């Protein structure tokens, strides 16, 4: 709920389109020096924070410096390339870099906020209100540079289940469901008063190896496990067809994605051959378990039926090549704790692949703090470094391709599928959004079908 | 005319319209009933087929679970093997969310779940078979219909635990969603407790999620009251006020009910359309029948009307009237016969008139001979005698008087004839009726006495002044008194009386004579009609004409053997003073 409300209350200097291209937001335009070390940004003159103050260079500088000092720096490697920020005029900002970085512009999609009197205000289309009784109430920002939103107010409210949220929608209390589960999607699709908007998320489910474990050190074993899983069948049986198979941590809609790179096809025979090549041949017997060539555990959060079903499918596929993956579902807190501590053989995760190469860099580069699974591959690191320092699109494309090849050759996980999520909106609203994309960022453009301005939940 | 038209219309109604109406009514009701029954049967078949499909679907899942139970029960598998079987089962059969094996105490032994099993053996529900129980349907948090199926396991007659599976019955929803009867007819499924568990109408799905209870729905109620588990149908008003046709088929093993609801207007649209078409056709046939009947009737009745017109015309004396009938049927023959008959009638009439003229001429001649011969003979005799006794002055005087009297008689006969041919005008002066009566009685008393008749006069004491002609009235009195004397035997009496009746003066002449037969009374005032053996018969005709010229009336009453009374009434004069003077 907090994340959703932040999406409409704050904006960055830039944002990324679905194919990874940079789109101007609070920054109206920018230029860079030939060496890529000096960037000059021109801010929008008609952009204001929710307290009425202009989005000027000093405020932006202050916001960016807070991000540089916080967790955003770890999640956005582009921020780490900034050496200094200057404000030559009220609406002009100069960012000086330590090194050339292609990650800067997508890093600048980080929210620009202003801290006043202990509260933080953004410059997005809706102003955050106080959270009362578990609800967050937001009002349309009349000085939003993109124009006053059509919907006057938005109230975010958390519901324990889809059923209760949907019941609220049927009562007219709810106009928008942030996320509809796979199972409930078909039911709501059939409901006449609601429109559903499914879209692929930039997240991939995957069974991620703890590369520190001995039996995962050999890349042939990891590749064998990848070939053992029938991703297409999994998409059908676990996702009901509402997902896209994937075998690498890359966003296939990214402008630099090379679809000609060979995929790791479902091939149990090849998997067995790879195991044989890695000398994983003998079956070991463990009490209460089936005899297996390798026995390891897979950790995932409990009470997530979809995740459990995914795990069961993978477990069965692996058992076909003599791999015993023991499933362990644990409370989410314990899961996070063990994940950070590296206390797992494998984890089932839904991990961001992003529409920017900075996201894979964060999770799969050997030097990244977010690489909690101990994965390290010189070819992958090389590809990611090249992506980060590329000086032109050609170099960037080659590096992206290299990353695709490297993660296929030396897989850090068994990536399974790009998930699909569904939002649902009452037909009282006219939603303006490109087909197949998330409708939430366009909420400022939604309008009531009868042309009035009213609140929405 | 009215009668035959009405009868013909009645004939047309009885022979053409009524049978058509009767046929139409029977056809409409039969068609409507048959078509509606066909719709109901069709919808019942749909409901029955859906029930069978759903039953088969549930049965298949129960069979799968029983198959899994057979694999696990008493097969000495290790726990991990049982566990793997259950996990693979939920992957192979997506309807199963979880399958867990329990021991006799209810402790989970193996499960498809990775974590803690949430299932328990259903404590209530439908006994699907002696060892299988299906729980009531539940709509879960993901808005899916789920049921828990429990299978009791036994080893040589001793309970060895149970296998419990949670089934998502999404496919049942899809089955129901696929059913569409017409544009607005949908299927729905109701649990034994009345809970709505599936609805094919997207707009009604919220009711499923809410778990609406349809126990009070008329069709559900009817089905529950029905002892036999058979399809049934009912028309009722939905909660939204729409007239619905509902059919229901039981899903026997589970106690569920599959219903198909369709707005009555749509369900019976074909029947209504056919009914409208039939009504139109029957209406058209009626119109054609009435139109044809009207024109045919007109052509049929027209000759009759023509014949009636001709008959009436002839009856009114228009003997030259003829009918024109153009049809070539019996009416044409009848018309020709009529015209022939009319021609004959003209001939006969002419013949009768000719004979009447001849008879009248004879009678006139006889009357003239009678009336003239006697005076002429008297004159002749007197002339002969006067020559002989010319010297006797007394005789001469007598003969002279006789000749004068007879000449007067001849003159009177001739006057009567002239009066018939050209009535003399009357003059009007106030006069006293009593006086005129007294004068005539005085003048005719001698004549009466010669015949041995007593002539009496009675006078009203009230004024009896009228506007009249004394000479004409004298002639009237004379005629009547003469007739009375001539009709009365000697010794009889003739009385003339005046009375005042309101604003009329009445004069009556009564004799005690032979009387006039009643059949002759009607023509007694006609010209040349007489009750006497001889005479022209002009007296009463002239009398009546004079009375009417004086604005009076005359009537006669008579009784054969007793006598006759002529009664005249004249209006009283409007100027009594002048009359009195005149009368004085």
């Amino acid at each position: 709920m907090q994340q959703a409300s932040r999406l409409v209350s704050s904006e960055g200097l830039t944002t990324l389109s679905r194919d990874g291209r940079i789109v101007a937001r609070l920054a109206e335009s920018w230029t860079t020096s030939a060496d890529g070390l000096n960037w000059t940004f021109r801010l929008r003159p008609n952009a204001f924070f929710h307290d009425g103050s202009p989005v000027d260079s000093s405020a932006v500088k202050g916001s960016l410096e807070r991000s540089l000092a916080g967790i955003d720096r770890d999640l956005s490697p582009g921020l780490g390339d900034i050496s200094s920020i200057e404000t030559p005029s009220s609406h002009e900002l100069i960012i000086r870099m330590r090194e050339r970085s292609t990650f800067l512009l997508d890093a600048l999609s980080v929210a620009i906020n202003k801290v006043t009197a202990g509260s933080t205000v953004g410059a997005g289309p809706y102003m955050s209100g106080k959270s009362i009784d578990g609800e967050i109430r937001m009002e349309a920002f009349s000085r939003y540079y993109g124009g006053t939103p059509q919907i006057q107010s938005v109230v975010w409210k958390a519901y324990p289940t889809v059923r209760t949220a949907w019941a609220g929608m049927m009562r007219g209390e709810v106009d928008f469901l942030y996320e509809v589960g796979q199972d409930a999607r078909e039911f709501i699709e059939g409901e006449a008063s609601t429109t559903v908007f499914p879209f692929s998320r930039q997240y991939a489910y995957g069974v991620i190896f703890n590369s520190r474990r001995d039996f995962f050190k050999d890349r042939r074993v990891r590749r064998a496990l990848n070939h053992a899983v029938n991703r297409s069948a999994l998409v059908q049986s676990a996702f009901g067809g509402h997902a896209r198979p994937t075998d690498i941590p890359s966003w296939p809609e990214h402008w630099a994605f090379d679809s000609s790179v060979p995929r790791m096809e479902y091939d149990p025979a090849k998997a067995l051959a790879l195991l044989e090549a890695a000398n994983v041949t003998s079956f070991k017997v463990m009490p209460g378990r089936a005899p297996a060539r390798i026995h390891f555990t897979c950790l995932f959060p409990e009470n997530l039926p979809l995740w459990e079903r995914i795990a069961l499918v993978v477990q069965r596929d692996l058992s076909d090549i003599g791999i015993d993956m023991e499933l362990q579902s644990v409370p989410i807190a314990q899961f996070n704790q063990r994940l950070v501590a590296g206390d797992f053989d494998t984890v089932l995760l839904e991990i961001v692949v992003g529409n920017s190469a900075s996201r894979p860099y964060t999770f799969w580069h050997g030097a990244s703090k977010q690489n909690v699974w101990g994965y390290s591959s010189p070819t992958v690191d090389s590809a990611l470094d090249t992506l980060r320092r590329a000086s032109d699109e050609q170099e960037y494309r080659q590096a992206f391709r290299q990353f695709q090849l490297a993660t296929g050759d030396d897989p850090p996980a068994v990536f399974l599928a790009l998930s699909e999520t569904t939002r649902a909106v009452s037909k009282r609203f006219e939603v303006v959004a490109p087909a197949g994309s998330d409708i939430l960022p366009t909420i400022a453009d939604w309008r009531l079908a009868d042309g009035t301005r009213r609140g929405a939940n | 005319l009215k009668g035959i038209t009405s009868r013909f219309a009645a004939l047309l109604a009885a022979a053409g319209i009524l049978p058509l109406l009767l046929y139409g009514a029977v056809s409409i009701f039969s068609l409507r009933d048959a078509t509606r029954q066909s719709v109901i049967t069709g919808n019942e078949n749909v409901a029955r087929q859906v029930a069978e499909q759903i039953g088969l679907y549930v049965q298949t899942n129960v069979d799968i679970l029983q198959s899994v139970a057979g694999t696990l029960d008493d097969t000495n598998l290790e726990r991990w093997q049982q566990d793997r079987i259950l996990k693979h089962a939920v992957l192979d059969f997506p309807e199963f969310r979880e399958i867990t094996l329990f021991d006799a105490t209810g402790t989970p032994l193996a499960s498809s779940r990775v974590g803690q099993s949430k299932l328990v053996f259903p404590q209530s529900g439908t006994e699907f078979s002696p060892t299988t129980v299906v729980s009531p349907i539940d709509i879960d948090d993901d808005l899916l219909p789920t049921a828990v199926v429990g299978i009791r396991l036994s080893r040589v007659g001793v309970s060895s635990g149970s296998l419990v599976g949670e089934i998502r019955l999404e496919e049942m929803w899809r089955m129901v969603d696929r059913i569409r009867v017409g544009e607005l007819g949908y299927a729905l499924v109701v649990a034994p407790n009345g809970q709505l568990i599936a609805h094919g109408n997207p707009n009604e799905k919220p009711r499923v999620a809410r778990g609406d209870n349809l126990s009070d729905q008329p069709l559900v109620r009817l089905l529950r009251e029905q002892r036999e588990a058979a399809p049934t149908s009912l028309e009722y008003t939905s909660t939204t006020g729409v007239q619905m046709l509902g059919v229901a088929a039981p899903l026997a093993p589970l106690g569920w009910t599959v219903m198909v609801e369709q707005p009555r207007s749509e369900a019976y649209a074909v029947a209504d359309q056919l009914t409208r078409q039939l009504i139109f056709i029957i209406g058209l046939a009626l119109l054609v029948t009435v139109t044809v009947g009207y024109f045919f009737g007109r052509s049929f009745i027209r000759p009759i009307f023509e014949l009636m017109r001709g008959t009436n015309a002839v009856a009114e004396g228009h003997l030259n009237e003829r009918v024109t009938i153009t049809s070539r049927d019996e009416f044409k023959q009848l018309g020709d016969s009529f015209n022939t008959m009319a021609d004959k009638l003209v001939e006969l009439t002419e013949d009768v008139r000719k004979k009447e003229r001849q008879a009248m001429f004879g009678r006139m001649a006889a009357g003239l001979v009678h009336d003239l011969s006697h005076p002429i003979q008297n004159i002749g005799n007197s002339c002969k005698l006067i020559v002989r006794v010319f010297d006797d002055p007394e005789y001469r005087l007598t003969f002279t008087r006789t000749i004068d009297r007879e000449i007067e008689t001849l003159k009177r006969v001739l006057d009567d004839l002239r009066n018939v041919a050209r009535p003399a005008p009357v003059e009007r002066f106030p006069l006293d009726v009593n006086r005129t009566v007294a004068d005539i009685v005085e003048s005719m008393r001698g004549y009466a006495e010669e015949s041995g008749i007593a002539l009496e006069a009675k006078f009203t004491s009230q004024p009896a002044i009228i506007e009249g002609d004394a000479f004409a009235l004298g002639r009237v009195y004379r005629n009547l008194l003469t007739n009375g004397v001539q009709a009365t035997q000697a010794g009889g009496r003739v009385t003339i009386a005046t009375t005042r009746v309101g604003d009329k003066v009445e004069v009556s002449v009564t004799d005690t004579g032979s009387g006039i037969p009643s059949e002759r009374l009607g023509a007694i005032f006609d010209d040349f009609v007489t009750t006497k053996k001889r005479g022209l018969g002009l007296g009463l005709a002239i009398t009546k004409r004079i009375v009417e010229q004086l604005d009076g009336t005359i009537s006669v009453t008579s009784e054969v053997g007793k006598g006759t009374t002529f009664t005249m009434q004249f209006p009283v004069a409007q100027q009594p003073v002048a009359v009195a003077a005149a009368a004085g």
Side-chain angles (χ1 to χ4, degrees):
Chain A
M1 197 163 71
Q2 294 289 346
Q3 181 185 357
S5 64
R6 274 199 299 272
L7 281 172
V8 296
S9 65
S10 297
E11 290 197 354
L13 292 177
T14 64
T15 190
L16 275 75
S17 65
R18 193 168 172 80
D19 64 355
R21 298 287 187 182
I22 305 297
V23 177
R25 301 301 282 180
L26 293 176
E28 190 176 46
S29 61
W30 54 84
T31 58
T32 181
S33 60
D35 58 6
L37 297 179
N38 299 301
W39 292 76
T40 303
F41 292 87
R42 181 76 188 168
L43 303 178
R44 291 183 187 275
N46 59 339
F48 295 90
F49 288 107
H50 295 159
D51 64 352
S53 61
V55 180
D56 57 20
S57 56
S58 61
V60 173
K61 179 184 178 184
S63 180
L64 288 175
E65 286 176 346
R66 283 192 295 278
S67 295
L68 285 169
I71 192 171
D72 289 339
R73 179 170 181 148
D74 294 334
L75 295 174
S76 300
L79 292 178
D81 293 328
I82 296 174
S83 66
S84 65
I85 302 171
E86 298 170 12
T87 56
S89 70
S90 64
H91 282 83
E92 195 173 59
L93 194 75
I94 295 176
I95 296 179
R96 302 195 186 284
M97 309 294 290
R98 293 190 181 87
E99 290 182 83
R100 175 193 296 275
S101 175
T102 60
F103 294 167
L104 174 65
L105 288 177
D106 68 67
L108 292 179
S109 64
V110 66
I112 301 298
N113 294 315
K114 183 178 179 183
V115 179
T116 56
S119 65
T120 303
V121 293
Y126 284 91
M127 298 182 290
S128 290
K130 290 182 180 177
S131 176
I132 302 172
D133 296 333
E135 294 182 0
I136 297 175
R137 185 176 187 84
M138 308 182 79
E139 296 295 331
F141 181 42
S142 61
R143 301 185 73 181
Y144 178 58
Y145 69 86
T148 306
Q150 295 292 318
I151 298 172
Q152 179 62 38
S153 61
V154 177
V155 178
W156 297 92
K157 186 176 181 179
Y159 286 86
T161 65
V162 174
R163 184 180 180 183
T164 54
W166 183 78
M169 190 172 234
M170 291 302 101
R171 288 194 298 270
E173 300 168 2
V174 177
D175 302 303
F176 169 55
L177 292 184
Y178 181 73
E179 185 169 3
V180 177
Q182 303 288 352
D183 288 338
R185 174 176 162 179
E186 186 177 347
F187 181 88
I188 293 180
E189 270 180 336
E191 217 289 314
S193 64
T194 308
T195 308
V196 297
F197 296 92
F199 65 99
S200 285
R201 299 179 71 215
Q202 291 146 1
Y203 286 79
Y205 283 94
V207 176
I208 303 172
F209 308 122
N210 186 342
S211 297
R212 302 178 192 90
R213 296 288 191 263
D214 288 341
F215 36 76
F216 292 134
K217 287 192 183 300
D218 191 326
R219 73 175 68 174
R220 289 173 299 189
V221 172
R222 285 181 267 130
R223 288 174 59 195
L225 300 188
N226 269 284
H227 283 295
V229 176
N230 186 343
R231 293 173 177 82
S232 298
L234 179 138
V235 164
Q236 291 303 320
S237 66
F239 294 91
H242 300 305
R244 283 192 286 179
T246 189
D247 55 350
I248 53 174
S250 296
W251 177 234
E253 295 179 29
H254 193 278
W255 63 270
F257 186 86
D258 188 346
S259 56
S260 67
V261 171
R263 310 289 299 265
M264 281 190 283
E265 300 298 336
Y266 170 57
D267 189 348
K270 189 173 183 178
L272 285 171
L274 286 167
L275 288 177
E276 295 286 338
N279 202 25
V280 181
T281 54
S282 60
F283 282 73
K284 298 169 186 170
V285 177
M286 287 185 64
R289 304 295 306 173
R293 300 171 194 265
I294 302 174
H295 173 89
F296 62 86
T297 60
C298 178
L299 191 68
F300 62 94
E302 65 180 4
N303 296 326
L304 295 174
L306 173 63
W307 291 45
E308 185 172 319
R309 199 164 188 91
I310 294 169
L312 285 176
V313 173
V314 174
Q315 183 190 50
R316 184 173 64 174
D317 285 353
L318 294 181
S319 72
D320 290 344
I321 60 168
I323 304 295
D324 180 28
M325 184 173 80
E326 183 181 354
L327 304 181
Q328 291 184 344
S329 65
V330 296
I332 185 69
Q334 186 181 345
F335 174 83
N336 289 334
Q337 187 180 8
R338 289 181 61 178
L339 182 66
V340 172
D343 182 14
F344 59 91
D345 294 337
T346 62
V347 288
L348 177 61
L349 267 184
E350 188 184 19
I351 193 164
V352 64
V353 292
N355 45 3
S356 161
S358 66
R359 302 294 183 268
Y361 186 98
T362 304
F363 296 112
W364 309 116
H365 195 279
S368 171
K369 290 182 181 177
Q370 301 299 316
N371 184 353
V372 296
W373 16 82
Y375 176 71
S376 178
S377 166
T379 53
V380 169
D381 287 352
S382 170
L384 290 172
D385 287 337
T386 306
L387 274 170
R388 186 175 184 175
R389 308 301 175 198
S391 57
D392 56 38
E393 284 197 2
Q394 181 63 25
E395 188 180 8
Y396 192 94
R397 281 184 190 276
Q398 288 176 354
F400 206 101
R401 174 183 167 80
Q402 186 58 38
F403 175 72
Q404 289 178 239
L405 288 167
T407 48
D409 180 64
D410 190 1
V414 180
F415 292 102
L416 301 167
L418 293 161
S419 65
E420 191 176 89
T421 194
T422 301
R423 309 206 194 283
V425 183
S426 165
K427 284 188 175 167
R428 294 196 305 118
F429 290 91
E430 287 179 9
V431 175
V432 181
S437 63
D438 187 6
I439 61 172
L440 185 58
T442 67
I443 193 169
D445 298 325
W446 297 4
R447 60 179 64 89
L448 278 166
D450 62 7
T452 58
R453 297 183 74 213
R454 285 175 51 186
N457 294 304
Chain B
L1 290 176
K2 202 170 181 182
I4 195 167
T5 306
S6 301
R7 283 198 298 278
F8 191 83
L11 175 67
L12 182 67
I17 298 174
L18 280 179
L20 194 57
L21 281 175
L22 193 62
Y23 167 77
V26 170
S27 299
I28 288 168
F29 284 116
S30 300
L31 177 70
R32 176 177 290 194
D33 195 49
T35 314
R36 290 185 173 185
Q37 191 55 47
S38 168
V39 170
I40 291 170
T41 304
N43 287 7
E44 282 179 350
N45 286 337
V46 171
R48 191 186 292 113
Q49 285 173 8
V50 175
E52 286 172 2
Q53 286 177 10
I54 292 174
L56 189 63
Y57 169 63
V58 175
Q59 179 69 57
T60 301
N61 284 304
V62 171
D63 288 347
I64 289 168
L65 197 62
Q66 285 174 332
S67 171
V68 174
T71 308
L72 297 176
D73 191 22
D74 200 17
T75 51
N76 295 320
L77 291 173
E78 290 188 31
R79 200 63 73 220
W80 68 267
Q81 290 173 314
Q82 293 175 328
D83 203 67
R84 176 171 287 188
I85 288 171
L86 296 179
K87 285 180 167 58
H88 286 188
V90 297
L91 292 178
D92 292 337
F93 305 106
E95 274 79 6
F96 286 92
R97 258 188 182 161
E98 178 186 341
I99 305 174
T100 299
L101 179 67
F102 295 91
D103 66 11
T105 65
T107 304
L109 298 175
S111 176
S112 66
R113 282 295 308 271
V114 176
Q116 187 70 31
S117 171
K118 294 180 177 178
L119 291 182
V120 293
F121 195 91
Q123 299 303 307
S124 63
T126 306
E127 291 282 343
F128 204 78
S129 73
T131 59
T132 306
V133 178
V134 178
S135 75
I137 289 282
D138 178 44
I139 308 300
D140 68 11
D141 289 342
D142 288 326
L143 301 168
L144 295 177
T146 58
V148 176
V149 180
I151 298 175
R152 299 184 188 91
L153 305 176
S154 62
R155 188 178 297 155
V156 198
V158 179
S159 172
S160 59
S162 60
L163 185 68
V164 181
E166 185 182 34
I167 309 175
R168 297 191 309 185
L169 297 171
E170 276 179 277
E171 191 56 34
M172 176 186 73
W173 277 5
R174 294 193 187 100
M175 289 175 184
V176 172
D177 286 349
R178 282 194 288 269
I179 301 303
R180 180 69 68 90
V181 181
E183 290 292 323
L184 302 169
Y186 298 97
L188 52 154
V189 183
V190 181
N193 63 356
Q195 182 191 353
L196 179 65
I197 55 179
H199 204 305
N201 186 347
N203 294 325
E204 300 290 335
K205 287 189 185 297
R207 299 174 61 195
V208 178
R210 285 197 306 263
D212 277 10
N213 195 294
L214 303 187
S215 295
D216 291 333
Q217 208 265 8
L219 186 56
V220 174
R221 210 165 48 226
L222 177 67
L223 202 69
R224 189 175 298 147
E225 292 165 358
Q226 221 172 242
R227 291 186 177 179
E228 291 182 10
T232 189
S233 65
L234 188 67
E235 290 180 21
Y236 49 87
T237 304
S238 72
T239 53
T240 56
V242 179
Q243 282 288 313
M244 304 293 283
L245 167 65
V247 299
L251 210 167
L254 292 163
W256 297 354
T257 301
V258 177
M259 293 167 51
V260 172
E261 269 190 338
Q262 189 179 18
R264 191 176 171 281
S265 58
E266 184 187 71
Y268 296 151
V270 173
D272 292 343
Q273 173 76 9
L274 288 174
T275 301
R276 281 195 294 274
Q277 287 175 354
L278 197 55
I279 288 173
F280 174 76
I281 290 168
I282 290 170
L284 194 64
L286 276 174
L287 187 64
V288 170
T289 303
V290 170
T291 306
V292 169
Y294 174 74
F295 286 107
F296 177 75
R298 273 189 59 180
S299 69
F300 183 79
I301 292 173
R302 188 184 295 138
I304 297 175
F305 285 175
E306 180 68 8
L307 282 168
M308 290 180 68
R309 184 191 60 75
T311 309
N312 288 336
V314 170
E316 289 168 3
H318 304 297
L319 298 183
N320 292 324
E321 195 70 34
R322 296 291 181 273
V323 297
T324 305
I325 296 174
T326 55
S327 62
R328 298 177 179 178
D329 53 13
E330 287 81 354
F331 283 114
K332 168 73 173 168
Q333 296 173 16
L334 195 57
D336 292 343
S337 298
F338 175 83
N339 289 339
T340 304
M341 182 186 73
D343 292 342
K344 289 286 182 187
L345 196 57
V346 169
E347 289 176 16
L348 288 172
T349 304
E350 288 298 320
D351 196 33
V352 167
R353 282 181 181 164
K354 190 175 177 182
K355 287 179 179 173
E356 278 187 347
R357 280 198 299 273
Q358 288 173 348
M360 182 175 286
F361 179 76
R363 199 164 64 240
M364 283 178 65
L368 283 172
V369 168
H370 171 266
D371 286 352
L372 297 180
S373 64
H374 187 68
I376 290 170
Q377 190 174 2
N378 283 343
I379 292 169
N381 289 339
S382 293
C383 287
K384 289 175 183 174
L385 287 173
I386 201 168
V387 171
R388 290 177 189 171
V389 290
F390 187 76
D391 296 333
D392 186 346
E394 187 177 354
Y395 273 110
R396 206 170 48 241
L397 181 60
T398 301
F399 293 147
T400 301
R401 285 179 180 168
T402 300
I403 289 168
D404 290 343
R405 188 183 69 233
E406 294 303 336
I407 288 172
E408 186 66 27
T409 300
L410 289 173
K411 188 180 176 185
R412 196 161 57 237
V413 169
L414 295 175
D415 282 346
D416 285 349
L417 285 172
R418 189 171 56 244
N419 213 336
V420 169
R422 188 178 60 203
V426 294
E427 296 181 354
R428 293 195 181 199
F429 299 99
L431 56 84
D432 185 350
V433 172
N434 283 342
R435 173 169 287 186
T436 60
V437 169
D439 288 346
I440 198 65
V441 168
E442 186 59 32
S443 69
M444 290 195 69
R445 191 178 301 278
Y447 169 69
E449 286 175 352
E450 285 176 5
S451 301
I453 305 299
L455 180 59
E456 291 183 357
K458 295 179 181 178
F459 301 102
T460 180
S461 58
Q462 292 179 294
I465 310 301
I466 66 169
E467 294 274 346
D469 184 327
F471 178 77
L473 275 178
R475 190 167 185 171
V476 168
Y477 299 154
R478 185 182 303 278
N479 282 343
L480 294 176
L481 290 173
T482 301
N483 285 347
V485 168
Q486 289 176 349
T488 306
Q489 295 291 327
R493 181 184 294 110
V494 175
T495 306
I496 182 166
T498 62
T499 53
R500 178 73 182 265
V501 180
D503 57 352
K504 306 278 185 187
V505 174
E506 188 174 282
V507 180
S508 64
V509 176
T510 305
D511 65 59
T512 57
S514 57
I516 305 168
S518 58
E519 66 270 15
R520 299 187 66 180
L521 281 177
I524 201 165
F525 293 110
D526 292 348
D527 293 339
F528 304 108
V529 173
T530 179
T531 60
K532 294 176 284 191
K533 292 179 179 176
R534 292 178 182 275
L536 287 173
L538 294 175
L540 287 176
I542 292 168
T543 297
K544 185 170 186 285
R545 192 170 300 146
I546 292 170
V547 170
E548 289 177 348
Q549 280 181 307
L550 295 174
D551 297 332
T553 62
I554 182 168
S555 62
V556 58
T557 60
S558 181
E559 190 174 351
V560 176
K562 289 190 176 179
T564 303
T565 299
F566 288 89
T567 304
M568 295 169 289
Q569 285 190 336
F570 300 97
V572 174
Q574 297 298 314
Q575 297 173 321
V577 175
V579 171

